[in-house]
Amino acid sequence: MYCTGKSIDWGKYGSENITPQKNIVNAFVINFAMFQREGRGLYFYSDTKGSGKTMIACAVANEILKAHDISVKFISVTDYIELVKAKDDVSRGNVKAILEAGLLIKNML
């Protein structure tokens, strides 16, 4: 919840050169309005559980919220599938809110 760009421990990734990844994350935050208009996003992947993917996503969201008045939604893919399968009005409203979010973070778990 309180993660920011300064919270990201890039040292976690050892001696690997992560400069390109850092540049992509920074470009996404700085140019978020353009990415949003174009319907583009980021995908964080690692074979290693606990490598910081969710924390980086939350830090990116918080940095974007500093500059943009948008809604941010966070949901696991499993929960989203269950929500879509539900047919009640509340679930439909929740799906609509997710689809209309200015920034959506989907966690694969």
Side-chain angles (χ1 to χ4, degrees):
M1 184 167 164
Y2 301 105
C3 298
T4 65
K6 292 179 182 179
S7 304
I8 300 171
D9 179 9
W10 295 104
K12 229 181 206 184
Y13 304 99
S15 61
E16 181 181 342
N17 179 11
I18 46 107
T19 300
Q21 292 84 348
K22 287 169 66 173
N23 290 341
I24 290 168
V25 169
N26 287 332
F28 185 79
V29 170
I30 292 166
N31 301 301
F32 176 73
M34 178 195 67
F35 278 85
Q36 188 181 35
R37 273 192 314 277
E38 294 176 0
R40 295 171 48 202
L42 290 179
Y43 180 78
F44 299 110
Y45 174 80
S46 173
D47 284 330
T48 306
K49 289 185 181 226
S51 63
K53 299 175 296 291
T54 300
M55 197 276 299
I56 292 172
C58 291
V60 167
N62 285 333
E63 292 295 334
I64 289 170
L65 281 171
K66 287 179 187 177
H68 302 277
D69 184 25
I70 60 169
S71 65
V72 175
K73 300 290 183 191
F74 186 100
I75 191 166
S76 72
V77 171
T78 311
D79 288 344
Y80 181 73
I81 290 169
E82 291 302 315
L83 198 59
V84 169
K85 286 198 282 187
K87 300 298 179 193
D88 59 276
D89 289 339
V90 172
S91 295
R92 285 188 189 130
N94 288 336
V95 169
K96 185 175 188 276
I98 288 167
L99 295 175
E100 292 175 350
L103 179 60
L104 175 62
I105 301 170
K106 289 187 269 183
N107 191 332
M108 300 297 280
L109 297 181

